[in-house]
Amino acid sequence: MAEETIFSKIIRKEIPADIVYQDEWVTAFRDINPQAPTHILIVPNKLIPTVNDVTAEDEQVLGHLFVVAAKVAQNEGVAENGYRLLVNCGSHGGQEVYHLHMHLLGGRRLGPMVVRK
Ligand code: 5GP
């Protein structure tokens, strides 16, 4: 059984977060440490630790993340100029919270996708 993270508590509203959207499948809330004027995390309500743990059963909820991303982008006013959707996986991917989530970043030009070394 995967261990819960702070995101499960946010989803259950046991700890505060600025939730911008919630339905039976996913919850979207503002990142506590925003990297862009708009920085929202779109999280499946079900705990899936990383992309490595995804199974065929998760297809519906993971597809729904994109539907919600489009909706949230519209609501936030970033749809027209564009934005970036990002999913980190594991330590090389820079994942900090082991509850799969999609970052929606927008509101400014985001620059190159990966920092060159
Ligand atoms: P990761 O690096 O795992 O892809 O992204 C985790 C994100 O969660 C980070 O951008 C971090 O700022 C955000 N975060 C971590 N803890 C909290 C929290 O308690 N509340 C909110 N709203 N965001 C959090």
Side-chain angles (χ1 to χ4, degrees):
M1 227 346 227
E3 223 172 281
E4 279 195 356
T5 73
I6 196 142
F7 287 2
S8 291
K9 294 193 170 71
I10 289 174
I11 290 161
R12 292 196 298 263
K13 300 187 175 158
E14 290 168 7
I15 64 160
D18 189 352
I19 294 176
V20 298
Y21 179 89
Q22 186 167 50
D23 64 22
E24 64 175 311
W25 298 100
V26 310
T27 302
F29 51 91
R30 291 188 199 283
D31 196 292
I32 205 165
N33 182 22
Q35 304 299 307
T38 298
H39 187 173
I40 289 168
L41 303 172
I42 306 168
V43 186
N45 294 341
K46 169 190 172 184
L47 170 55
I48 305 166
T50 81
V51 174
N52 289 336
D53 302 298
V54 166
T55 69
E57 266 180 34
D58 303 318
E59 273 182 11
Q60 195 173 1
V61 68
L62 296 179
H64 193 56
L65 288 188
F66 279 89
V67 175
V68 171
K71 220 177 278 202
V72 168
Q74 278 292 345
N75 292 346
E76 292 291 316
V78 299
E80 192 175 329
N81 282 336
Y83 49 92
R84 184 170 294 160
L85 300 174
L86 188 75
V87 179
N88 294 321
C89 179
S91 73
H92 281 195
Q95 186 174 5
E96 288 169 8
V97 178
Y98 279 71
H99 184 140
L100 190 154
H101 51 280
M102 176 187 273
H103 296 254
L104 188 159
L105 295 144
R108 67 167 169 84
R109 274 186 198 282
L110 294 165
M113 192 168 67
V114 177
V115 178
R116 292 177 208 277
K117 294 191 74 175

